[in-house]
Structures are given as C-alpha cells and as structure tokens.
DNA sequence: TAAAAAAATGTTACCGATAACATCAAAGTA
DNA sequence: TACTTTGATGTTATCGGTAACATTTTTTTA
C-alpha cells in the first residue's frame, strides 16, 4: 500500500508536507502542492483512515444498528439516517442485530473497537441495557430509535405508539367490532408495552372489557414455527372478529396462518397492523395500518446524534425525546360488521 | 479510553504481556494471565481495532455493498452474507449505493481507506469498472454479485437470468399471450442485457416477432416520476396483453401505474416480474415471478470471498463463476387468454 | 552443581498518520 | 544594514497495538 512516505520520497518533500496537502492545512507553495498532488495521483494514493483516526481520536464513522434488515420499516429508516449522515460529512455503516441481544452485543463490541464517533440504535429489547451502558461508559454518544430502554437516559426518537394502538382499536370499534384480539411483541420491548397500553385504553373508552385470552405476546422476528399462533387462534372462545398485529412481521404471520386455514381477510376475520409492508403495500393496498414516518426516524435521529457528537465538551444538554405521529391508513383488511 | 498500557501499569506487567493475554499467544503463567484478565474486566478494556489493524495489516472487516437497501432481494442476500461471514470470524458492514455510481465510488473510497480485507459488491452498472479497477489495484479481493462488469475478471455469483426471462415469456405464451412487452433496467447493467436476450430468444422460439416498441429501458431504482412508464404504456399500439418487469421495483411501478389508470391485473393486463417482494409475497401470493435464491447469492459469494482472502499469496486460482438457478413461481398475475 | 533448555516476561521498533514545535529563507520594517 | 515578521518546510513524538528479538527466571539434564 502506498503511504504518505512513499509520496514524500517520490516528491522530494517531507511526509508532513504531504499531510498538509491532503488536509489542506498550513501554508504550502503552489508549486509544492502541485507536485505532491501529481505524485499522489500517479501512485493512486488512498489515505489510511485507521492511522489517521488513531492520532486524531475520531473516526468520522457512524453506525446504524437495526434489528431486522428485511423489515421495510428499518430499511426506510436507514435511508433517512444515511442522507442525514452524508449531509454532515460522516460515513455510515450498518449492522443488523436480528432482534438478538447476543448479535447486538457483538456489534456493540465491533463499534467500540472501531472507535465509531456515534451510534444510532434500535435496541433489541430491555436487555440491551448493559450494551448501552457499555457505550455510555466508553463515552460513545448514541440515540435510540423506536424503542426505549428503562434505566437508560438518552436522546430518543419514538413513534406515538400508544396513540397508534388506540386509533387502530377505535377504528375497529367504529366498524362494529367488539371482540378484538392483539398479537403483540414481547413485553420486554418498550414499544410493545405501549401498544398494549393503548389497546387497553381504547377498549375501556369503548366500554369493552379487556380479556387476557385475546392477547398473545410473541417474538417480533419471523419464525418458521407458527404453532403458538395456531394454538392461540384455536384457544380464543368466542373467536375474535378482528386482530391487531403489533408490527408488520406479525401481521404477515397472522394473515399467512389464517390463509393456511382457509380463512379470508377481512371476510372471515379482520386484521390491522403497524407499519407498512414496503413496496407490496403499493401494488395492493390491502392491510389497514398505522403508518409511521420511518424515514424521519432515521433522519431526525441522525441529526440528533451528530449534534451530540459535535457539542461534545460543551455543557451537556438535557436528553431529547422526539415523538413522531402515527397515522391511520385505512385500506381493505377490515370488515364492517352489521350492528 | 483505556489502553493496554493502562492495563499493564495497573497489573504491574509490560504492555506486551497484556497483548499476549488478549491474543492468547506466547507463554504466560496462569497467575499473570488471571491478574491481567481481572484488571481488563475492572477497567472495561476494549481493544482498539484500528491500532491493531495498523500493525497487522489486516482488519478482519468485510464489506457488503448493495444497490438498494429497501429491495428485499438484497436484504435477503445480506442475511446470507452475514451468516457466512460470521461463520469464519469476520465482521461484516453494509453499504448502500442506491444504484448510484457516485455513491458507489464514495463507498469504495471508504472501503479502501478503512483497509477492509475484502468486498462483496453488487455493482451499480458497467460504469463501476473504474471502482473495481481501483480495488484490484489496491489488492482488495472482491466478489461480484448478481451483475458482471465487462472488462473485469473476478469471482462472481449470478442468477440464471437469461433462462429466467425465457421461462417467463414461455409461461406467458403458453397462456395465450402474443403481444408481450418488457420493461427492463438500463442496458448498462449486465443482468438487464441478459433479460433482454432471454426475452428475444423466447419470442423467437415461440414464433413471435420482436418489436422494439414493446421494450422500455428504465432505471431500476424507484422514482417519483412515472411519466416515462405512462407514455410508454400509451405509445404501444396495439397494446400488449402482458408485461414482463425486469425486477421487483419495476414490477411494482408498473402495477401502480396500471392501478392508477383503473386497469386491473391480470384482468386487463398481465404482469410478471423478477424476484419476490419479500415476506409480503406470502400474505397475498399475487405476482408471478422468477424467484432467485437471494440468500444463496450472499452466502456463496461470501464464502468465495473469504477463500480468496485466505488463499492470498498462494498460486492464484482461476476466477469462479457460480450461476444460481431461476425458478418460475406461478401465482395470479397472469390471465389465461382465450385462444 | 554447573550447564543447557524451556518458560515467562520485557524492550525496541514500527504500522501510517498528524500535532506541536523547530528551522530556514524571503519579505517587510526601522 | 540589522532586525523582525511571515511563509514554507522539516523533525520529533505520539496514537494503541504487535513482531522480533532480548533478557531474566525457572526447570531439566548431564
């Protein structure tokens, strides 16, 4: 690999002069600059970022850690984060924790040892706490996305999840549904807890009793084994007329299971969910959902992160909490029940 | 940040001894090892990967560069690459070029200056050639995915695209279609060229004439402006009875456009495409497609990359070319025409 | 018990860059 | 002309690790 020393030797100057040309610092005569520049081009010089970060103690590298790279919510979010990072001259790398606390830990280790300047992270669950503590301890700024972790203060971008759940249930009630079920993420995830809260509140406001048998808590990630959904569907008595799914993955699993049983949505059972299904939603606007501003999650989160990084040393600002609105998008997956 | 020198001082040994404990190299007494280990735990030591890579001249870092992070084909591929990388003890970072040659170049620069050990890359187009030359010049092994770049020999994992296109057209012909249109990616992308070839061959075999007006070459990425699709649809005379879309993004765009015009698929026009639409194809198996083994693209490509990296120095092996099969998945988006 | 071998640990130099300071020449000023 | 200032460049130390070699301690063997 070509180094500044190779350039320096070839151009007949010192390494420091080469460094000055590269970074456009200090004073250099035009003649020297031109000569150095020419040699760099000739030898295809590429700066070694690691050597540079080592001495500068900053990498201009940011990480985005998401929990499911195949989930359109997160990939759209990634686009937003990318755009915001680029605008401020940072490079962005992605990691995918797959909803696994262990994988998340591995990525955090990578991030720490890569000496990233900051991290945008959608935590796997409450058990991410030690990972976040590790980041905090090592003084790596981070911003949480979509989920909070109790016990860890930080900047965070959230969706108005509780309100979203309420809107979904209200919508169902307004169409005559009275037996409404919820398949939710695990209660170790803050957003799942909020969905349940919103769900219960809306029931109460609608004068409907909360019945535990109508609630299933299941992992957010796609699994091959759908038997818990199966048995849950069997167990409810009387059967619900509508199911609220805690996220898009669960919505898909539920609909798949229903289809496998020969049940049609919404004719036999209504289904609503959180977050869009990506391009698919566009060709066949089928599923009624709470749409979240995925791109904004990434964009705003990244802005907040960069502000934190650049204010470093300044008096610490209080944590910021951005809550993005949740919009009900009515499509065709809910039946209107006869009164 | 805590360094090995801090550990060394605290533990009353030399930095080298700490290094030996970390890497489990050389000979160390159990007592010393335990002591050093304890101090590392106490101080929450995290190795500085950059310092280490600087001296070792290798980073154990790999990159995956894809062209569209919101495309399920690539995210599924990413999963495969991730799994294969982890199995061999490499860390994997993602980059997203967004089908843009410029963004791709920026990522290549990042990759070069980060001194990654290797790159898995889905090139944006033939104009990626200089970027690949740059990698080659700097001796960074890479494997191409899904697309080849003329003039650049390398390992590559491809889909059997031409055969795929043929199968789609055959399928349409067998259902009575005679006027078949193709909306394809730009001809600067190898896979788009192959699709066109397969398309033409299948027409010929089916005794159908190739008519240029039925072919539109458009960018693969989603755009807000659909006017070229609009005018193309208007221009064809007589109108086709079926449209082959070159990838999933284009399929979605076409269907969206048709819906906007009040046309139904497949009742008014049949549409087929390449690559699935992610998990969501499952809730409503609608679009007939050529399904590619996205996960395998990533997994096999990563394996080949790692083999290249680790054989370095050994006699160079000839380039390998893996072609993965393309399977026709028949669903509901094609109408059977009366003879 | 002295010499040789093995085990445990330390010292030095270097990876590729930059900050801080040092030097030297040309230009400006008294 | 001597003296300061400014501009252009070089030297040295350092970031956090590890390889290669050096040294010291312990164990084995003749």
């Amino acid at each position: 690999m070509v180094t500044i020393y190779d350039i320096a030797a070839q151009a007949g100057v010192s390494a420091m002069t080469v460094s000055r040309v590269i970074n456009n610092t200090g004073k250099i005569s035009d003649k020297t600059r031109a000569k150095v520049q020419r040699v760099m081009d000739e030898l295809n010089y590429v700066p070694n970022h690691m050597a540079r970060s080592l001495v500068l103690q900053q990498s201009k590298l940011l990480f985005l850690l998401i929990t499911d790279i195949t989930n359109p919510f997160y990939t759209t979010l990634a686009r937003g984060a990318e755009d915001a990072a680029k605008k401020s001259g940072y490079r962005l790398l992605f990691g995918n924790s797959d909803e696994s606390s262990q994988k998340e830990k591995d990525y955090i280790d990578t991030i720490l040892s890569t000496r990233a300047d900051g991290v945008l992270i959608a935590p796997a669950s409450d058990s991410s706490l030690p990972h976040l503590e590790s980041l905090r301890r090592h003084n790596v700024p981070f911003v949480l996305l979509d989920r909070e972790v109790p016990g860890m203060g930080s900047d965070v971008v959230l969706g108005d999840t509780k309100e979203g759940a309420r809107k979904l249930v209200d919508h169902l009630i307004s169409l005559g549904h009275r037996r409404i079920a919820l398949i939710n993420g695990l209660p170790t995830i803050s957003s799942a807890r909020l969905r349940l809260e919103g769900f219960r509140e809306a029931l109460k406001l609608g004068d409907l009793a909360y019945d535990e048998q109508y609630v299933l808590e299941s992992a957010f990630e796609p699994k091959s084994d759908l038997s818990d959904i199966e048995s849950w569907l069997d167990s409810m008595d009387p059967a619900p007329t509508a199911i609220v799914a805690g996220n898009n993955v669960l919505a898909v699993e539920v609909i798949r299971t229903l289809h496998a049983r020969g049940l049609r949505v919404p004719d036999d059972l209504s289904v609503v969910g959180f977050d869009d299904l990506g391009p698919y939603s566009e060709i066949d606007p089928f599923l009624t959902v709470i749409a979240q501003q995925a791109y904004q999650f990434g964009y705003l989160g990244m802005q907040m992160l960069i502000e934190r990084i650049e204010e470093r040393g300044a008096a610490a600002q209080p944590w910021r909490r951005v809550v993005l609105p949740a919009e009900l998008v009515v499509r065709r997956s809910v039946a209107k029940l006869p009164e």
Side-chain angles (χ1 to χ4, degrees), chain A:
Chain A
M1 276 281 184
V2 178
T3 71
I4 52 169
Y5 297 98
D6 302 323
I7 309 290
Q10 189 81 23
V13 298
S14 75
M16 199 56 223
T17 299
V18 177
S19 172
R20 289 192 179 102
V21 172
I22 294 169
N23 298 292
N24 228 325
T25 52
K27 308 185 181 289
I28 304 175
S29 69
D30 290 348
K31 210 181 73 191
T32 309
R33 183 193 310 282
K35 187 172 52 183
V36 170
Q37 196 67 57
R38 183 155 32 78
V39 176
M40 289 202 302
D41 292 347
E42 266 168 30
L43 302 188
N44 295 302
Y45 171 75
V46 176
N48 185 324
H49 218 275
M50 296 189 295
R52 162 183 256 223
S53 304
L54 194 56
V55 43
L56 291 185
Q57 300 284 43
Q58 60 142 326
S59 59
K60 283 278 172 183
L61 249 188
L62 266 26
F63 269 81
L64 169 63
L65 204 46
I66 56 183
T67 63
D68 184 359
I69 197 181
T70 60
N71 184 329
F73 173 73
Y74 286 116
T75 52
T76 306
L77 179 157
R79 274 267 171 74
E82 201 175 16
D83 289 350
K86 161 166 280 184
K87 204 164 56 89
S88 297
Y90 286 82
R91 301 174 303 153
L92 180 63
L93 301 177
F94 305 103
N96 170 219
S97 72
D98 244 342
E99 300 281 359
S100 143
S101 193
Q102 178 56 47
K103 283 197 191 178
E104 182 175 282
K105 180 181 182 320
D106 292 347
Y107 268 108
I108 299 278
D109 286 348
T110 294
I111 288 166
L112 283 173
S113 54
T114 306
R115 299 297 192 266
D117 289 347
V119 191
L120 214 50
I121 171 171
S125 74
D126 291 354
S127 58
S128 299
L129 183 60
H131 310 154
L132 301 180
E133 282 170 342
S134 184
L135 287 172
R136 181 63 47 78
R137 199 162 44 228
H138 290 283
N139 218 21
V140 179
F142 60 86
V143 172
L144 297 185
L145 300 178
D146 192 44
R147 302 169 179 182
E148 286 188 289
V149 172
M152 176 55 66
S154 78
D155 292 326
V156 57
V157 182
L158 298 170
D160 196 350
T161 307
K162 195 160 141 188
E163 178 63 19
R166 245 179 337 226
K167 282 182 180 167
L168 281 178
V169 174
D170 283 350
H171 175 65
L172 291 170
I173 292 177
S174 75
L175 288 173
H177 291 268
R178 293 295 173 266
R179 294 193 306 281
I180 302 171
L182 169 69
I183 177 168
N184 203 7
L186 296 178
T188 52
I189 297 176
S190 70
S191 55
R193 289 191 294 268
L194 287 173
R195 277 190 255 277
L196 180 58
E197 271 185 48
F199 178 81
R200 296 186 67 156
E201 282 182 20
L203 288 183
K204 188 179 243 172
L205 288 172
D207 269 329
L208 297 175
Y210 170 74
D211 185 348
E212 252 185 1
Q213 69 159 328
Y214 286 140
V215 175
L216 175 64
E217 294 179 327
S218 172
F220 268 149
E221 89 255 38
K223 18 184 194 314
S224 41
D225 179 18
L226 300 175
S227 58
D228 57 338
I229 296 185
E230 298 270 6
S231 55
W232 176 61
L233 289 174
D234 287 334
S235 73
M236 288 181 277
D237 182 33
T241 60
I243 299 180
V244 177
N247 80 347
N248 45 11
V249 173
L250 291 175
V252 168
E253 310 265 288
V254 164
I255 295 177
R256 245 171 77 195
T257 310
L258 294 176
H259 282 178
R261 306 180 151 211
L263 294 173
R264 287 158 310 152
V265 178
D267 314 65
D268 299 312
L269 200 59
S270 297
V271 176
V272 297
F274 273 84
D275 299 326
D276 256 317
L277 301 178
Y280 182 86
S281 299
E282 310 205 9
I283 67 170
D284 182 17
F286 167 72
L287 188 66
T288 293
V289 294
I290 290 294
Q292 299 198 87
Q293 304 176 1
Y295 184 91
Q296 289 299 321
F297 272 74
Y299 197 90
L300 294 177
M302 184 54 79
Q303 281 190 326
M304 287 164 68
L305 178 61
I306 292 174
E307 279 169 30
R308 279 289 168 197
I309 292 169
E310 303 195 336
E311 89 182 358
R312 228 182 206 161
Q317 303 297 310
W319 300 127
R320 287 196 288 170
R321 210 184 132 85
V322 172
V323 178
L324 296 175
E327 186 200 358
L328 178 69
V329 179
V330 176
R331 298 204 271 241
R332 306 189 328 259
S333 63
V334 179
K336 181 161 172 40
L337 296 191
E339 202 53 36

